[in-house]
Amino acid sequence: MKFLTFIASLVCVLGYEVLSIYVDWGNPYDMGRLPVNDLTITETIDKSPLHTTAHYPNQSGEYPVVFFIGGMNGYVLSEMYTDVLRMVAAHGFIVFGVDYKYPALTDGENIFKPILKQDLKPYFNEIDFSTVFIEPVSFDAFENVPNPVPALMYGTELSEKGLTKCCLPGTDFRQFYKIWKCPRLALEVADFGHCDILNREFWGVCTHICTKSNETRIDEYHKFIQGAMSSFVISTLQMRQDAITYLSDTTKIPVKLLEHQTDLNCTLEKKSDQLF
Ligand SMILES: *[C@@H]1O[C@H](CO)[C@@H](O)[C@H](O)[C@H]1NC(C)=O
Ligand SMILES: *[C@@H]1O[C@H](CO)[C@@H](O)[C@H](O)[C@H]1NC(C)=O
Ligand SMILES: *[C@@H]1O[C@H](CO)[C@@H](O)[C@H](O)[C@H]1NC(C)=O
């Protein structure tokens, strides 16, 4: 039963180089400046192949696309993360929450199988730009991914604490960092936990499973994690190179860190070649 407690989130992002692309020049830990619209595209009503939520700037422009996949290989629906996803969109991204397991558990699939064998390779056959792993857990992350993309691996202190650890040491963000190649960056924040990224209405349910953090700090946490995710995609997808310093320079990170590893020099070189 222990495995039911794992939640791993995967944010996959695709980018394309368009010179007129919107660039957020602010501090990513502040709220983005763009107003955001939301749309739910349902599999049944809209004949969409997948149940999908979309959050996008309500202002014409060119924005990179971010695909978000919820925890447990997609069983945790992206609707549970909309507060944070909307905040990322406000920095100038079209964010799609792709619920490819929706409605969960009706396809007769054994939920344990994908969780135990969370093979990363299929994702990276399709996706080739940059990825944020938010508290990833995989029992299968021991082989190098064939063509790794720039990645941020992110963990929290409380996910490894308590009776029901929601991330197991040896299968989590540190392991992902270990098997990745440059460019990569890993950080672990103190005091927060696995459920804190969720919208408030789902947070309460999740904290029955994972170790609780302090509810009074959830808004602060959402503001932080949207900033961490945005810093990465602003630097890799909007091509604002200095935005990576909001993750690589610990003095710019507005929460207490327990761990911080960077291996980024290759990106900066490659990026400049691509851009100029
Ligand atoms: C989006 O823009 C339209 C037209 O400018 C406006 O009427 C609407 O209120 C905006 N929505 C949001 C969420 O800002
Ligand atoms: C939560 O945070 C508030 C404000 O910082 C504090 O007063 C309270 O004691 C904390 N609760 C727990 C359970 O830590
Ligand atoms: C990255 O490269 C710069 C200059 O080339 C160097 O000063 C710095 O120490 C390098 N950082 C790491 C972590 O290797």
Side-chain angles (χ1 to χ4, degrees):
M1 282 313 283
K2 213 166 182 192
F3 299 118
L4 270 177
T5 65
F6 297 130
I7 299 175
S9 305
L10 185 64
V11 179
C12 301
V13 291
L14 285 185
Y16 37 86
E17 283 174 42
V18 182
L19 291 177
S20 59
I21 214 155
Y22 177 89
V23 178
D24 185 326
W25 293 105
N27 178 334
Y29 293 110
D30 294 335
M31 293 301 180
R33 289 186 305 108
L34 300 170
V36 171
N37 277 357
D38 312 294
L39 184 68
T40 300
I41 309 158
T42 65
E43 199 178 348
T44 40
I45 298 168
D46 302 322
K47 309 260 189 290
S48 159
L50 295 172
H51 183 77
T52 304
T53 54
H55 311 282
Y56 54 96
N58 189 14
Q59 183 171 302
S60 64
E62 290 185 46
Y63 306 104
V65 171
V66 173
F67 290 115
F68 177 85
I69 299 170
M72 295 174 98
N73 248 353
Y75 280 110
V76 182
L77 300 181
S78 58
E79 265 106 341
M80 300 190 188
Y81 304 83
T82 51
D83 290 352
V84 169
L85 299 184
R86 300 182 88 248
M87 291 181 202
V88 172
H91 289 282
F93 296 96
I94 300 171
V95 181
F96 290 108
V98 183
D99 293 329
Y100 70 96
K101 295 287 189 188
Y102 180 91
L105 299 181
T106 53
D107 56 5
E109 192 177 14
N110 177 356
I111 192 168
F112 291 101
K113 197 173 148 218
I115 296 163
L116 289 169
K117 294 289 284 179
Q118 192 161 36
D119 188 358
L120 298 172
K121 290 185 205 91
Y123 289 112
F124 294 96
N125 291 338
E126 310 268 330
I127 285 157
D128 69 353
F129 207 80
S130 101
T131 300
V132 179
F133 291 102
I134 302 164
E135 300 192 70
V137 176
S138 173
F139 290 82
D140 207 28
F142 293 101
E143 257 180 77
N144 294 346
V145 167
N147 297 303
V149 296
L152 166 65
M153 285 79 179
Y154 173 90
T156 58
E157 179 181 14
L158 298 180
S159 63
E160 294 185 351
K161 293 249 160 91
L163 205 56
T164 51
K165 293 178 181 41
C166 284
C167 291
L168 272 191
T171 65
D172 65 2
F173 75 98
R174 278 182 211 100
Q175 180 62 23
F176 279 62
Y177 185 81
K178 212 186 272 177
I179 63 167
W180 224 256
K181 292 198 186 96
C182 185
R184 60 190 167 151
L185 198 149
L187 54 90
E188 183 182 35
V189 305
D191 304 328
F192 292 105
H194 207 53
C195 302
D196 297 338
I197 187 176
L198 297 175
N199 294 2
R200 264 175 193 282
E201 64 268 35
F202 303 109
W203 179 86
V205 178
C206 179
T207 54
H208 289 299
I209 306 168
C210 302
T211 301
K212 265 192 179 39
S213 50
N214 193 328
E215 190 175 4
T216 61
R217 297 188 67 192
I218 290 194
D219 293 340
E220 175 200 344
Y221 184 69
H222 284 184
K223 194 172 171 206
F224 166 71
I225 195 166
Q226 69 83 30
M229 290 161 74
S230 299
S231 299
F232 195 73
V233 290
I234 289 169
S235 92
T236 56
L237 302 185
Q238 294 181 356
M239 307 297 173
R240 176 186 157 195
Q241 292 181 14
D242 74 292
I244 200 69
T245 61
Y246 290 96
L247 293 165
S248 61
D249 175 353
T250 53
T251 63
K252 291 188 177 177
I253 300 179
V255 293
K256 187 177 158 205
L257 292 181
L258 296 179
E259 197 169 318
H260 186 249
Q261 301 187 64
T262 61
D263 177 17
L264 293 169
N265 275 359
C266 57
T267 333
L268 301 177
E269 285 153 26
K270 260 194 232 152
K271 276 268 185 62
S272 350
D273 289 351
Q274 281 170 7
L275 281 176
F276 306 110

